[in-house]
């Protein structure tokens, strides 16, 4: 599976962005999908995950209630709607695919190239 993330940009605090991640290759619906982020000088951290059907989701406490993950298995895409953005959300955001239900980055097999999100105060 090849993943490509896009949709990042510069936004003011309180604003919104929607990230998209498209997948090429077969069997996208066989993968659990996740979003991670990494700010300069920090570890890559879990943001959100979604199961194969899209019926179950999970979020980091820091984004719960502000971010929403969704997927479209017909379009081979996963999305991250980000509302109420804060300067602390500034990071490179990555989409990733796993074969198990996990929040651990090392257990995701495939990664997109990342898209920069910058939130100004």
């Amino acid at each position: 599976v090849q993943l490509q993330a896009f949709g990042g940009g510069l936004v003011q605090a309180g604003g919104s962005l929607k990230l998209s991640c498209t997948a090429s290759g077969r069997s996208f619906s066989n993968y659990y999908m996740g979003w991670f982020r990494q700010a300069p000088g920090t570890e890559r951290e879990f943001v959100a995950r979604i199961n194969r059907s899209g019926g179950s989701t999970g979020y980091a406490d820091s984004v719960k209630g502000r971010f929403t993950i969704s997927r479209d298995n017909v379009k081979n895409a996963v999305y991250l709607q980000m509302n109420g953005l804060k300067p602390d959300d500034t990071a490179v955001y990555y989409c990733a695919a796993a074969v198990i239900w996990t929040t651990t980055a090392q257990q995701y097999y495939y990664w997109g190239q990342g898209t920069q999100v910058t939130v100004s105060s």
Side-chain angles (χ1 to χ4, degrees):
V1 175
Q2 291 185 320
L3 303 174
Q4 184 172 8
F6 53 94
L10 173 64
V11 63
Q12 288 188 328
S16 298
L17 279 175
K18 185 174 183 178
L19 305 184
S20 301
C21 173
T22 56
S24 61
R26 298 181 296 178
S27 305
F28 172 75
S29 60
N30 286 346
Y31 293 96
Y32 300 89
M33 297 299 297
W35 285 96
F36 291 77
R37 66 187 182 187
Q38 188 168 20
T42 69
E43 298 278 327
R44 191 168 297 189
E45 66 170 351
F46 165 76
V47 174
R49 59 178 173 169
I50 190 165
N51 72 346
R52 292 174 293 187
S53 69
S56 291
T57 59
Y59 299 92
D61 288 344
S62 58
V63 307
K64 202 170 294 183
R66 300 188 297 122
F67 290 12
T68 302
I69 188 172
S70 61
R71 68 188 295 162
D72 185 332
N73 286 341
V74 174
K75 294 182 178 179
N76 283 5
V78 61
Y79 309 101
L80 186 68
Q81 176 67 48
M82 305 185 294
N83 299 328
L85 283 161
K86 306 174 182 180
D88 283 350
D89 295 318
T90 295
V92 177
Y93 283 72
Y94 299 88
C95 58
V99 296
I100 59 173
W101 183 240
T102 180
T103 62
T104 303
Q106 290 80 359
Q107 293 177 314
Y108 281 77
Y109 287 170
Y110 303 105
W111 291 84
Q113 84 287 4
T115 184
Q116 176 71 47
V117 172
T118 303
V119 184
S120 63
S121 57

